């Protein structure tokens, strides 16, 4: 097996056994374990940017009639990473590859999967672009909304990180039996309930913390905007909707004298997590852990975590966050390369994926 090398921080290709497959776009220490588990080596391709900022992809070997796997992590520059993926897929398509499978541990723009005001469902747009570029299958992990799978015109395997996070809780948190699983908003209650039931622990929900304003929930169906002097059809009398009023922040469930474990799928802007930790401290929790699949940790997240009441933040390595770990020792990483490697192997060999979803529910 060849050494793990790349071109200007872009590690675009990996060769599978017997030259049957390739894995593209390796970015951080998440990927050498994938190579080792698969017995794979880097293939021959180059990804770079021209002086004018345009992305160029060159495939340096024949891929005609072969199955290609492209692994694409999403670093800070999301749009550049998306363009690399699209151009790489199109280059492979025009080079007559048989199947092109995208392995995208964190799917970008997944938060923009619903209509907001007069915006757009960008996640649907990205799904259409990937299909047009030539992708025939996607492997991803913990989509922000399960319904995103319906945006694609080809198969999507949405793997789960919960088994790895549950294992971390059982092995790395002393006295976890004295813990309570916490949802920082009612919207996260289903995920928290799933964790609590598997660990045989109690459940608490923080209620009253608004995740978005009333204006953000407007889906655009009030267009055009109603005017004060607008003429209303005499036979049309719609009932008046009462405005929502934010309730005071309360914690439903007992956290006094216990370890609080907040679970979610994405940690990006950590202010809501920091606020939740403060509330839990006030209610008597003596240790606070935050666990999530995707650790985006944007902007001042490391500093805010370090200065907060949070004792530890545990995320998987679906997104590169080595710099954030250097800035904040509270951030810990769980490796999920095992399940992605096994998914790649099973798809390559035409085996069932059911084993990877055993005992997995919709709420996980």
């Amino acid at each position: 097996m060849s050494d793990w090398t790349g071109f200007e921080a872009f590690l675009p290709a990996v060769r599978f056994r017997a030259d049957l497959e390739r894995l593209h776009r390796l970015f951080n220490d998440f990927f050498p374990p994938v190579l080792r588990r698969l017995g794979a080596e880097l293939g021959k391709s180059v990804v770079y940017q021209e002086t004018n900022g345009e992305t160029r992809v060159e495939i340096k070997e024949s891929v005609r009639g072969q199955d290609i796997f492209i692994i694409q992590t999403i670093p800070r520059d999301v749009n550049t990473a998306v363009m690399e993926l699209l151009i790489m897929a199109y280059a492979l398509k025009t080079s007559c590859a048989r199947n092109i499978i995208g392995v995208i541990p964190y799917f970008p723009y997944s938060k923009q999967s619903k209509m907001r005001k007069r915006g757009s469902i960008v996640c649907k747009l990205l799904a259409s672009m990937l299909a047009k570029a030539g992708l025939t299958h996607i492997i991803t992990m913990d989509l922000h909304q399960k319904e995103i799978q319906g945006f694609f015109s080809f198969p999507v395997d949405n793997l789960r990180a919960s088994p790895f996070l549950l294992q971390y809780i059982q092995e790395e948190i002393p006295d976890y039996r004295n813990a309570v699983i916490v949802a920082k908003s009612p919207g996260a209650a289903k995920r928290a309930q799933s964790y609590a039931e598997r660990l045989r622990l109690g459940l608490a929900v923080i209620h009253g913390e608004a995740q978005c304003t009333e204006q953000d929930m407007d889906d655009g169906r009030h267009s055009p905007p109603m005017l004060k002097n607008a003429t209303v059809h005499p036979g049309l009398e719609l009932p008046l909707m009462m405005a929502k009023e934010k309730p005071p922040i309360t914690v439903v469930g007992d956290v006094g004298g216990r370890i609080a474990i907040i679970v979610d799928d994405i940690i990006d802007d950590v202010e809501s997590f920091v606020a939740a930790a403060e509330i839990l401290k006030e209610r008597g929790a003596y240790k606070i852990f935050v666990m999530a699949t995707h650790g985006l940790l944007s902007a001042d997240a490391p500093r805010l975590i370090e200065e907060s009441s949070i004792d530890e933040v545990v995320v998987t390595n679906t997104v590169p966050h080595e710099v954030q770990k250097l800035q904040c020792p509270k951030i810990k990483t769980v490796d999920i390369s095992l399940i992605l490697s096994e998914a790649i192997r099973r798809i390559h060999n035409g085996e069932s994926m059911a084993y990877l979803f055993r005992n997995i529910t919709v709420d996980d």
Side-chain angles (χ1 to χ4, degrees), residues 10-268:
F10 300 105
L11 303 171
V14 175
R15 180 174 298 166
F16 205 99
R17 292 187 186 91
D19 288 339
L20 290 177
E21 304 201 18
R22 289 151 184 85
L23 303 175
H24 293 265
R25 178 73 174 98
L26 309 185
F27 188 80
N28 65 349
D29 63 353
F30 166 79
F31 298 100
V34 173
L35 302 185
R36 290 195 297 269
R37 295 180 193 280
L38 295 174
E41 61 181 15
L42 289 170
K44 299 175 183 177
S45 65
V46 172
V47 179
Y48 62 95
Q49 286 190 328
E50 301 277 10
T51 54
N52 61 0
E54 293 182 357
T55 300
R56 182 178 292 273
V57 173
E58 297 178 4
I59 308 299
K60 296 295 187 178
E61 58 185 316
S62 175
V63 296
R64 182 178 296 273
Q66 299 183 19
D67 295 330
I68 310 297
F69 286 85
I70 305 174
I71 295 184
Q72 177 67 299
T73 56
I74 304 299
R76 301 299 102 188
D77 191 351
V78 177
N79 294 329
T80 298
V82 169
M83 284 304 300
E84 289 174 8
L85 177 60
L86 292 170
I87 297 173
M88 173 73 78
Y90 190 68
L92 294 167
K93 176 183 177 181
T94 55
S95 298
C96 300
R98 182 177 62 181
N99 292 310
I100 305 171
I101 299 96
V103 184
I104 312 171
Y106 168 66
F107 194 80
Y109 289 99
S110 59
K111 286 188 175 181
Q112 298 189 48
S113 59
K114 295 181 180 180
M115 181 66 76
R116 304 292 187 192
K117 290 185 172 180
R118 294 175 178 81
S120 61
I121 305 176
V122 183
C123 194
K124 168 63 176 174
L125 171 63
L126 181 56
S128 301
M129 292 168 65
L130 291 173
K132 192 69 175 178
L135 285 178
T136 58
H137 194 144
I138 278 184
I139 303 171
T140 187
M141 179 163 284
D142 281 340
L143 288 169
H144 187 56
Q145 300 288 341
K146 307 296 189 297
E147 295 79 4
I148 290 175
Q149 291 177 262
F151 292 166
F152 295 86
S153 57
F154 50 77
V156 176
D157 285 312
N158 182 27
L159 304 175
R160 306 294 199 277
S162 53
F164 298 90
L165 297 176
L166 290 169
Q167 183 181 32
Y168 184 94
I169 293 173
Q170 293 173 314
E171 295 180 356
E172 303 296 333
I173 299 181
D175 196 23
Y176 82 91
R177 290 292 182 187
N178 188 38
V180 59
I181 305 298
V182 179
K184 70 179 180 68
S185 67
K190 286 187 177 181
R191 181 184 299 270
Q193 182 181 359
S194 176
Y195 275 64
E197 290 175 350
R198 294 181 187 281
L199 294 169
R200 289 17 175 209
L201 299 177
L203 175 67
V205 179
I206 299 177
H207 180 54
E209 181 185 12
Q211 297 301 303
C212 53
T213 64
E214 180 67 16
Q215 288 183 342
D216 290 334
M217 294 303 295
D218 187 357
D219 64 1
R221 282 177 281 189
H222 294 286
S223 177
M226 295 187 66
L227 304 175
K228 290 183 178 180
N229 298 325
T231 303
V232 180
H233 192 278
L236 182 64
E237 295 183 3
L238 297 177
L240 181 64
M241 282 290 289
M242 296 180 62
K244 287 185 180 179
E245 183 176 345
K246 247 192 286 185
I249 296 177
T250 58
V251 178
V252 181
D254 182 20
V255 298
R258 308 180 76 174
I259 301 171
I261 304 175
I262 305 173
V263 297
D264 213 333
D265 62 329
I266 299 174
I267 301 180
D268 189 2

